[in-house]
Amino acid sequence: MAHLNLSGLKKSYDGKQVVHGIDMEILEGEFIVIVGPSGCGKSTLLRMIAGLEDISGGELLIDGQCMNDVEPSQRGCAMVFQNYALYPHMTVRQNIGYPLKVARIPKADIQRRVEAVAATLALTDYLDRRPAQLSGGQRQRVAMGRAIVREPGVFLFDEPLSNLDAKLRVDMRIEIRRLHRRLKATSIFVTHDQVEAMTLADRLIVMNGGRIAQIGTPAEVYARPASTFVASFMGAPAMNLFEAATLNERCVKLKNCEDWVTEAGFRLPPAGHGVTVGIRPEDVAISLNGKGLAARIELIEELGGSRVAYCSRGALACAAMLPRDIDFSEDQTVFLNFPASAIHLFDQEGARFQEDKSNNDGNSAQADKSFYTGVKDALAVMTGTE
Ligand SMILES: Nc1ncnc2c1ncn2[C@@H]1O[C@H](COP(=O)(O)OP(=O)(O)OP(=O)(O)O)[C@@H](O)[C@H]1O
Ligand SMILES: [Mg+2]
């Protein structure tokens, strides 16, 4: 198990910077997931840690030791890639044992360690097969075995499940989580799949454009996304984001729906400032009871365990999860309510308002009381001109 410190880690290719100074600490035994869109620098960051890419700036410490110029083989990291590149002419036993053979470990030790790893990964029955005689998931387990057998301080995974079908991905995800629970090795796992990220991580690093957009536990990142980028990236269907403006230093009104107003519960910029209002589809209350914002269901998407309705009201588009106990249909008129406690507010640059402490300062009840939807006189009530 190892402990990592990244400080101001940068990477440039031909003078063009692609990783812009990453600062973070990774604790012993932690399972960290780096998630972000394609090209945001996830693999580059991982490869710098592994030593497969030079570090252009900043410092990488593993267990307090500077690793910037240390050979990959001396860093105590083992990496598992998307294309697991097993040696086709070797058996499973030889593939798993290969790193130990290269390290000139005695044969008897190699055999013992390979068999222990194979048992951990439920590969004992396949030890004498070649990769071509295995399923995708079994091959992926062999690749993991080859990493585990070295007993590294740090596991680095670069999208190791991307080549697997949906069912196998889920199985392997659970397998990796179990394995981590048993081995407790510090792990850094790269993916652009947000479900994988949410389910595997002790802590998530959300990256965007070579920078950290947010670090936190999956629950924290989901509940309090630091920006509109994180809000729309984590969560499926994505959080609804509505253009809005401040009405005064307390209240916000939606741009395409002037009769919807909410009170922030903290001090906002003066009237007329652009603001983004966010609400997750599962937090939208949708009903047929005539109360709230009238909207039309344009499309219903069946997700198996749940259904999502894509609704519109003029220029306002809103996704909402449908309750199971009411029959909804496309083209139907429905009523939307946005509970104040579920509202996220972001400033003009897309950053979450710093003052937003509504989850923990006890003010949320107050915010709930002063919240109105679809009520024409809400403006008067909330601006005190009643
Ligand atoms: N060897 C290279 N030379 C020049 N540019 C590179 C090189 N490797 C990566 N890049 C650039 O660096 C940026 C980050 O790439 P990286 O592979 O780290 O992205 P990623 O987040 O892993 O994306 P993906 O999800 O598609 O794997 C990209 O803009 C990419 O084009
Ligand atoms: Mg990549």
Side-chain angles (χ1 to χ4, degrees):
M1 274 199 277
H3 166 250
L4 287 84
N5 269 301
L6 283 57
S7 77
L9 223 53
K10 293 191 184 99
K11 179 70 190 177
S12 304
Y13 289 111
D14 309 321
K16 189 172 170 284
Q17 196 162 319
V18 296
V19 174
H20 302 274
I22 299 290
D23 292 301
M24 86 164 296
E25 186 176 9
I26 297 170
L27 307 177
E28 267 188 28
E30 228 182 348
F31 201 111
I32 294 285
V33 176
I34 304 177
V35 64
S38 187
C40 73
K42 305 180 296 293
S43 297
T44 304
L45 180 59
L46 204 67
R47 293 169 63 82
M48 282 196 284
I49 296 172
L52 304 174
E53 293 285 353
D54 289 337
I55 293 171
S56 313
E59 197 177 37
L60 167 70
L61 301 182
I62 300 183
D63 286 335
Q65 246 192 310
C66 179
M67 289 287 158
N68 286 40
D69 300 315
V70 173
E71 285 295 306
S73 60
Q74 303 305 310
R75 295 189 184 192
C77 301
M79 191 145 167
V80 183
F81 298 93
Q82 176 178 348
N83 332 345
Y84 21 80
L86 301 176
Y87 300 107
H89 57 285
M90 291 186 191
T91 61
V92 169
R93 187 188 301 279
Q94 289 165 331
N95 264 288
I96 297 178
Y98 190 71
L100 302 182
K101 189 175 166 196
V102 172
R104 298 180 189 282
I105 307 281
K107 262 193 180 153
D109 288 348
I110 295 182
Q111 183 171 345
R112 187 181 44 78
R113 280 166 67 176
V114 167
E115 281 173 10
V117 165
T120 301
L121 292 166
L123 286 171
T124 305
D125 292 344
Y126 305 97
L127 276 172
D128 296 314
R129 290 203 196 173
R130 291 183 203 287
Q133 300 166 303
L134 300 174
S135 72
Q138 289 161 346
R139 277 181 227 167
Q140 188 54 267
R141 293 212 294 271
V142 176
M144 293 218 305
R146 204 169 50 184
I148 293 170
V149 82
R150 293 169 52 191
E151 297 171 5
V154 188
F155 275 112
L156 304 171
F157 298 93
D158 194 355
E159 311 233 17
L161 309 183
S162 305
N163 287 349
L164 306 180
D165 68 39
K167 161 112 179 43
L168 252 179
R169 275 183 91 118
V170 176
D171 291 350
M172 284 305 294
R173 204 168 77 202
I174 295 167
E175 197 83 55
I176 289 176
R177 194 71 205 154
R178 265 200 206 117
L179 203 64
H180 179 253
R181 203 160 285 168
R182 204 156 58 230
L183 302 176
K184 297 194 170 60
T186 311
S187 303
I188 309 176
F189 187 105
V190 161
T191 180
H192 57 252
D193 179 326
Q194 44 129 340
V195 178
E196 228 161 75
M198 293 291 288
T199 51
L200 280 170
D202 291 327
R203 278 194 305 156
L204 283 176
I205 305 178
V206 187
M207 279 184 74
N208 187 22
R211 294 189 166 81
I212 292 181
Q214 189 168 5
I215 301 180
T217 66
E220 279 163 8
V221 171
Y222 194 78
R224 292 177 53 79
S227 63
T228 48
F229 168 78
V230 178
S232 53
F233 192 74
M234 300 303 290
M239 184 186 282
N240 296 295
L241 295 173
F242 306 127
E243 272 185 75
T246 51
L247 192 61
N248 53 40
E249 292 186 351
R250 289 165 53 214
C251 303
V252 163
K253 65 174 184 199
L254 292 191
K255 195 169 172 197
N256 294 311
C257 184
E258 301 273 323
D259 57 349
W260 186 91
V261 175
T262 188
E263 185 171 1
F266 54 86
R267 197 183 169 108
L268 290 163
H273 269 74
V275 169
T276 300
V277 169
I279 184 158
R280 295 212 179 267
E282 66 268 30
D283 291 330
V284 174
I286 181 168
S287 73
L288 303 172
N289 67 8
K291 292 180 195 140
L293 293 175
R296 194 174 66 88
I297 297 185
E298 287 197 330
L299 192 83
I300 294 180
E301 208 172 52
E302 187 66 55
L303 302 177
S306 56
R307 286 184 307 160
V308 53
Y310 293 92
C311 308
S312 69
R313 173 194 168 95
L316 191 90
C318 178
M321 301 311 291
L322 291 175
R324 278 279 166 198
D325 53 346
I326 308 175
D327 243 350
F328 289 96
S329 55
E330 290 176 356
D331 271 335
Q332 196 173 26
T333 297
V334 290
F335 298 89
L336 307 176
N337 279 286
F338 306 141
S341 55
I343 295 284
H344 304 256
L345 288 175
F346 304 95
D347 69 15
Q348 232 154 357
E349 280 74 49
R352 188 181 195 92
F353 279 102
Q354 291 298 319
E355 301 86 341
D356 172 10
K357 299 265 166 42
S358 52
N359 283 347
N360 47 27
D361 70 355
N363 276 344
S364 51
Q366 173 64 30
D368 268 334
K369 265 187 243 146
S370 53
F371 182 78
Y372 298 84
T373 54
V375 182
K376 290 285 181 198
D377 61 357
L379 288 178
V381 175
M382 301 191 73
T383 52
T385 55
E386 195 177 16

